[in-house]
Amino acid sequence: MSFYLRRVAFYLVTLWAAISLNFLLPRLLPGDPAAIMLGKLRRASGGRPLSEETIQAITSILGAGKDMSMWDQYLAYWGRLLQGDLGVSSTRYPATVSDLIAAALPWTITLVGVATVISFMLGIVVGAWVGWRRGTKLDHLVPVTTVFQSIPYFWLALVLVAVFSVQLGWFPIVGGYDVFEFPAGPELSWAFIGSAVYHAILPATTIVISSVGGWLLGMRNMMVSTMSEDYVVTAEAKGLTPRRVRTKYASRNAAIPSLAGFGIALGFVVAGSIVMEQVFSYPGIGKLMIQAVQGLDYALMQGVFLVITLTVLAANFFMDLIYGFIDPRVRHNG
Amino acid sequence: MTRTKRSFAVALAAGAAAIALGMTGCAPSAGGGSGDSAVLRVWAGSATPINNNFNPFAVDTAVHATFGAIYEPLFFFNQLSADEPMGLIGDSYEYSEDGRTLTVTIKPDLKWNDGEALTAADVAFTFGYGSNKSEQFVSAEAPDDTTVVLTYTEPQFTSASLTLGSTYIIPEHIWADIDDFMAETNPEPVGSGPYKLKSFSDAAYTVEANDEFRDGAPAVEEVQYVGLDSNQSSQDLLTTGKIDWVGQFIANPDAVTGKGNITTMNQQQDPTTITTCANADLGCEGPQTDPAVRQAINVAIDRATIADKAFAGLAGESSPSFTLQPRDEQWLGDPELATSPQTADAAEAGAILEAAGYTKDADGFYGKGGTAFEIDLFSPDGWTDYNDAAKLISEQAAEAGIRINARTVSDAEYWTPIQNGDFQMALYGLTQSLVADPYSNYHEYFAGTSTAKVGEMPLVGQNYSRYTNPIVDAAVLAAGSTQDVAAKQEAYSAIQTEIARDLPYIPVVLNASQSFFNTEKFSGWPTEDDLYAAPLPYLAVANAVVLAHLTPAK
């Protein structure tokens, strides 16, 4: 019991620290968002003098808190956060940050989440097989997949688009669904879901190709070392079928360390999609983050960082609990 | 393990099903309602998620279709020619003798896209509403249904393009109830332009032909604006025929136009300059506050090489007079000032510096008192043409013994110092005057009224170099209060002599703006012989004039 209490306390402290950092970081960045917006507005308005009203409106939206002390700003930040108010985006003014995130999050979670799970399972299953048949030609799979893993992610994505979308025309070039077929946006129909799945294939493939190598290599090596353990030797000596030894005895134990890695990978689902979403113009959270940072949109930046922090913490917490459950040793040592 | 295996098989099956589903989904649209050729697809410029904002007062954040396609100004000023403006809502206009009263006649029997009548009362309401009210504004009256009388405290000769060309006329019956015009997002826009809003999502939005439009509904029935995040995506969509109209930089345009269905045009208007913080009196610091240093840099750089290497040979030759040649031909005082020197002259740069008392140090760099000076030149990281140009400028200046350090900064670190003056030199793009008269350039970038001390932002104008010169100020004032061509020529000529000598902005090139459009699916695009409007999908009003000219090919 005290193991779980200790974990919960640990995560609460981490959560507080993360949220406080989230408040602090954007304020340490250089540049004044009001100045940026006024500069762009001046250029956009083609020489029309900005009215006093306009300048005041913008500084009050973006420069809010200039006269407040850091501490008061911090308290106000917590107050709004607890009410679920993440503020108004300055680059997408007057859209609220929570609306923007709510629209982007499902895309990222579905696509990157599913791709991460596929990549993990593929890595574990194939890795176990390769480890089992170590020393055969199957071992060549290891360097091949690690080469894919070491190719820069955005480059792989660009190549896939150039070949399969532009040259061959098999897959769409941009977006989360066909904007030409569904000009009014997402709707609940089979045609739309089909379109969304079809648009997800290439981005998901990019993720799987570039991450499966890590799982495969780890699983294969664990498999090899597990197979020299006494209980595997005993199982073989007892005359169990190779299949039973492989699945029930070796793979099961070899997969435990990978599971911890899987927890971390799940946590980074939300954050890890930035490059992919940029290349494919995918309507997810990673793209919001890039835009927020580029436009110095404090509110949006904080909102996105908060979501990322929460998912990483939640995934780790969850995996901690599961891990403590499957592997009793952690409960005693932790 | 068996469980894992089964779920993996399920996932595989799902994937296969998805591919099958997708394949049918991508088959050439089988007569789907929106899939026919009457839909013109444009890059909306903005990245997704697109902002649902059709507020014509939000010049920076409203979507493109707001300006021109839905809301119209009174007249269209074609920035590519010196011709008279074309009437949209407006029919004709006339200034009073002193320039303080402007009488506009509008076309009769106009309608808003919701069917209500558009009268002079709406126009008068517009000019008295929100940020349209300038400081000099007195009143806007509508004595009858087609006449509007605008009164100001100062002569308005020079602001015709702003007043008549970029004030978007709004319906009184809608906007009279809207108090906070900056916070309004106007999701159901009622305008007078050729198109009205059909549907909106954060990835794309569509406008359809407005049946109430004064010239009848335009031939292209629907225009869809698609949000894309990268130039590469839009180039790919253009090549594969998914999108019909794009305005963006493509270094090798032949790759796109090769198949013959896409045509490209390249206009060069907006000058890219080395903007210097020039005025020590207002707080600028550094060697560039000495005009001799700026003059030396001006002759030390090799503009032909910069245009070729950094701007892919697409940029034009800029003029130290800050007029656009040949459009502004009549306003160029000294023909010598038509273009900046295109090749480097290190010897002359050295002579200028030596005459001003600079000497070379042991390494061959100029300075005073034995130590060479260094100037910082910055550009925003990722604007590759600017970054390359800055690097070339640094190398070319070094040949002439001038030490310029090129560095790149983030967007945030770029805008703030430019506005508050905390910089030495920056690569910066000015905006060319939209009409065939350089007045707005001189007023906006060179007049003392448009600047502020270092540490403060200018309240009006964009004189970021902090340049102040009494001769220029007097001439700007004189040019602004007359319609007499000879008097204006004289004033402009005086300004040009001053600014070409003082060089607070050292012109580098004229920026290219490329447009690409599908001539196979639509005809009626502007051509080199008939530049009735600039074919840039993001350029306010011009884009709507082009749209109204187009017809779908059979």
Side-chain angles (χ1 to χ4, degrees):
Chain A
M1 187 60 206
S2 72
F3 164 76
Y4 293 107
L5 269 183
R6 275 204 311 276
R7 297 318 290 163
V8 170
F10 170 77
Y11 276 102
L12 282 179
V13 172
T14 317
L15 188 66
W16 167 79
I19 292 178
S20 302
L21 261 180
N22 187 30
F23 163 80
L24 213 58
L25 284 178
R27 282 168 176 76
L28 299 176
L29 287 174
D32 173 3
I36 297 170
M37 189 153 171
L38 284 173
K40 287 182 181 166
L41 209 60
R42 280 220 174 83
R43 282 163 66 90
S45 63
R48 180 195 297 272
L50 294 183
S51 66
E52 197 66 29
E53 269 175 296
T54 315
I55 294 177
Q56 262 173 17
I58 287 165
T59 34
S60 75
I61 302 163
L62 303 178
K66 274 265 154 66
D67 313 326
M68 280 166 87
S69 73
M70 209 62 156
W71 178 247
D72 287 339
Q73 288 183 49
Y74 180 64
L75 290 183
Y77 166 73
W78 267 104
R80 286 194 307 270
L81 201 63
L82 291 176
Q83 291 165 22
D85 173 8
L86 295 176
V88 173
S89 157
S90 66
T91 48
R92 311 275 148 188
Y93 180 80
T96 67
V97 171
S98 23
D99 284 352
L100 288 170
I101 291 179
L105 207 51
W107 291 102
T108 301
I109 290 187
T110 319
L111 174 68
V112 191
V114 170
T116 306
V117 171
I118 291 181
S119 156
F120 173 73
M121 287 181 173
L122 206 62
I124 295 301
V125 172
V126 178
W129 185 248
V130 174
W132 181 253
R133 306 282 305 270
R134 67 195 178 285
T136 65
K137 277 185 181 162
L138 267 181
D139 259 354
H140 295 310
L141 260 182
V142 176
V144 169
T145 51
T146 25
V147 163
F148 276 126
Q149 194 182 11
S150 58
I151 291 175
Y153 191 58
F154 71 93
W155 192 77
L156 182 67
L158 285 173
V159 167
L160 287 180
V161 170
V163 174
F164 292 101
S165 303
V166 180
Q167 289 294 321
L168 298 171
W170 290 357
F171 290 104
I173 293 167
V174 294
Y177 57 93
D178 192 338
V179 294
F180 305 127
E181 288 287 325
F182 302 94
E187 58 182 52
L188 205 66
S189 70
W190 284 111
F192 178 79
I193 293 172
S195 172
V197 170
Y198 175 47
H199 277 69
I201 292 174
L202 214 50
T205 309
T206 317
I207 298 177
V208 171
I209 289 182
S210 61
S211 61
V212 74
W215 300 121
L216 196 144
L217 179 69
M219 184 62 191
R220 181 227 172 241
N221 291 346
M222 272 316 288
M223 190 73 179
V224 169
S225 64
T226 311
M227 273 162 52
S228 60
E229 296 279 343
D230 293 342
Y231 57 84
V232 178
V233 179
T234 313
E236 279 175 335
K238 280 199 296 186
L240 298 179
T241 60
R243 183 194 152 89
R244 193 172 162 81
V245 174
R246 195 179 76 235
T247 55
K248 295 283 174 196
Y249 287 75
S251 310
R252 207 170 200 172
N253 286 293
I256 289 181
S258 295
L259 222 52
F262 183 58
I264 295 169
L266 271 191
F268 282 101
V269 157
V270 172
S273 57
I274 296 170
V275 176
M276 182 278 294
E277 288 180 4
Q278 195 66 13
V279 173
F280 291 95
S281 282
Y282 207 77
I285 206 102
K287 236 179 49 199
L288 274 189
M289 177 145 110
I290 291 189
Q291 292 170 358
V293 172
Q294 278 172 347
L296 268 201
D297 190 340
Y298 282 174
L300 186 57
M301 229 188 289
Q302 284 177 334
V304 173
F305 286 157
L306 186 71
V307 170
I308 292 174
T309 314
L310 289 182
T311 42
V312 172
L313 281 180
N316 277 295
F317 181 59
F318 187 64
M319 287 316 287
D320 246 11
L321 297 186
I322 300 222
Y323 207 63
F325 181 71
I326 9 180
D327 191 349
R329 285 170 298 179
V330 261
R331 264 177 298 183
H332 298 300
N333 305 338
Chain B
M1 193 65 207
T2 40
R3 212 180 315 145
T4 318
K5 214 171 188 177
R6 194 178 309 129
S7 53
F8 175 61
V10 169
L12 252 182
I19 293 176
L21 240 174
M23 289 306 184
T24 52
C26 91
S29 50
S34 60
D36 56 53
S37 64
V39 185
L40 183 130
R41 270 133 192 171
V42 194
W43 180 15
S46 48
T48 54
I50 303 175
N51 218 11
N52 190 351
N53 190 343
F54 289 87
N55 178 355
F57 295 96
V59 283
D60 189 40
T61 43
V63 299
H64 283 161
T66 312
F67 305 104
I70 296 176
Y71 290 98
E72 294 179 301
L74 294 167
F75 293 88
F76 166 61
F77 290 75
N78 183 359
Q79 61 182 19
L80 299 178
S81 79
D83 296 345
E84 286 295 300
M86 171 183 131
L88 300 173
I89 294 173
D91 194 40
S92 64
Y93 66 93
E94 201 182 350
Y95 278 106
S96 66
E97 194 80 353
D98 64 359
R100 291 181 188 156
T101 310
L102 177 56
T103 309
V104 184
T105 310
I106 66 164
K107 291 176 181 167
D109 307 322
L110 298 175
K111 278 193 172 151
W112 296 106
N113 64 31
D114 65 355
E116 301 261 337
L118 189 174
T119 66
D122 290 303
V123 179
F125 168 80
T126 302
F127 280 96
Y129 184 87
S131 55
N132 289 336
K133 269 186 302 187
S134 67
E135 269 178 39
Q136 293 116 24
F137 176 79
V138 177
S139 69
E141 317 264 345
D144 60 58
D145 272 359
T146 55
T147 312
V148 184
V149 182
L150 304 169
T151 318
Y152 295 89
T153 56
E154 301 284 329
Q156 298 293 306
F157 295 127
T158 55
S159 61
S161 69
L162 278 183
T163 316
L164 304 170
S166 31
T167 303
Y168 297 91
I169 307 303
I170 48 172
E172 184 175 8
H173 66 274
I174 307 266
W175 286 80
D177 300 328
I178 297 172
D179 293 328
D180 192 352
F181 67 93
M182 280 303 282
E184 176 62 36
T185 57
N186 198 26
E188 288 162 13
V190 174
S192 59
Y195 289 91
K196 59 181 181 181
L197 183 62
K198 187 184 179 199
S199 64
F200 185 93
S201 79
D202 63 6
Y205 58 95
T206 307
V207 293
E208 61 183 348
N210 171 15
D211 296 330
E212 308 282 359
F213 188 56
R214 57 179 176 272
D215 302 335
V220 176
E221 284 163 29
E222 280 185 20
V223 182
Q224 186 180 30
Y225 293 79
V226 184
L228 298 171
D229 291 329
S230 72
N231 282 4
Q232 187 59 47
S233 307
S234 84
Q235 186 179 336
D236 291 346
L237 287 172
L238 196 65
T239 326
T240 50
K242 298 255 181 192
I243 203 164
D244 307 308
W245 193 11
V246 159
Q248 70 164 84
F249 175 74
I250 297 180
N252 52 337
D254 297 347
V256 180
T257 56
K259 276 194 269 174
N261 55 342
I262 307 287
T263 298
T264 180
M265 258 194 205
N266 178 18
Q267 267 90 38
Q268 298 129 348
Q269 287 210 314
D270 297 332
T272 287
T273 69
I274 303 173
T275 297
T276 67
C277 193
N279 191 344
D281 292 340
L282 285 180
C284 293
E285 285 173 15
Q288 83 291 346
T289 52
D290 182 348
V293 171
R294 303 197 294 268
Q295 287 156 2
I297 296 171
N298 185 46
V299 294
I301 58 177
D302 183 344
R303 291 179 172 83
T305 304
I306 295 172
D308 194 42
K309 286 192 176 164
F311 295 90
L314 296 163
E317 296 183 2
S318 58
S319 161
S321 69
F322 287 86
T323 55
L324 180 65
Q325 299 302 332
R327 185 192 73 177
D328 302 344
E329 216 165 359
Q330 63 164 328
W331 305 120
L332 183 67
D334 179 356
E336 288 272 297
L337 300 181
T339 56
S340 295
Q342 293 302 306
T343 50
D345 189 341
E348 197 188 337
I352 294 171
L353 287 174
E354 276 159 25
Y358 291 88
T359 49
K360 272 188 180 178
D361 71 355
D363 297 330
F365 285 96
Y366 280 100
K368 273 184 175 163
T371 44
F373 64 72
E374 287 184 42
I375 312 177
D376 197 50
L377 169 69
F378 72 102
S379 58
D381 193 34
W383 297 20
T384 48
D385 47 354
Y386 274 31
N387 303 155
D388 294 345
K391 229 179 286 168
L392 287 169
I393 289 168
S394 167
E395 285 164 16
Q396 292 162 355
E399 298 267 311
I402 302 167
R403 188 164 270 157
I404 295 178
N405 302 321
R407 67 185 178 95
T408 62
V409 296
S410 71
D411 260 25
E413 292 167 281
Y414 177 70
W415 294 102
T416 314
I418 282 187
Q419 291 187 69
N420 66 22
D422 184 17
F423 71 102
Q424 294 186 320
M425 298 201 305
L427 271 183
Y428 187 71
L430 309 191
T431 313
Q432 184 62 256
S433 58
L434 294 181
V435 285
D437 182 335
Y439 178 84
S440 71
N441 278 7
Y442 299 150
H443 179 264
E444 185 87 347
Y445 299 109
F446 296 94
T449 48
S450 300
T451 196
K453 279 191 302 211
V454 168
E456 291 169 16
M457 287 184 227
L459 279 176
V460 201
Q462 309 183 63
N463 185 350
Y464 296 135
S465 107
R466 268 73 196 171
Y467 182 64
T468 44
N469 179 335
I471 302 175
V472 171
D473 288 354
V476 167
L477 211 63
S481 51
T482 179
Q483 250 185 326
D484 179 61
V485 171
K488 267 170 60 165
Q489 279 169 335
E490 194 189 326
Y492 288 163
S493 188
I495 295 171
Q496 289 160 9
T497 312
E498 295 296 309
I499 63 175
R501 184 196 61 230
D502 290 345
L503 291 162
Y505 304 85
I506 305 169
V508 184
V509 293
L510 287 186
N511 253 342
S513 48
Q514 289 169 281
S515 51
F516 295 86
F517 37 83
N518 192 323
T519 45
E520 193 178 76
K521 276 158 83 180
F522 300 93
S523 52
W525 300 97
T527 60
E528 294 293 348
D529 301 326
D530 182 18
L531 283 172
Y532 62 84
L536 292 167
Y538 51 79
L539 197 66
V541 197
N543 74 75
V545 172
V546 173
L547 283 178
H549 262 78
L550 297 179
T551 42
K554 302 275 154 11

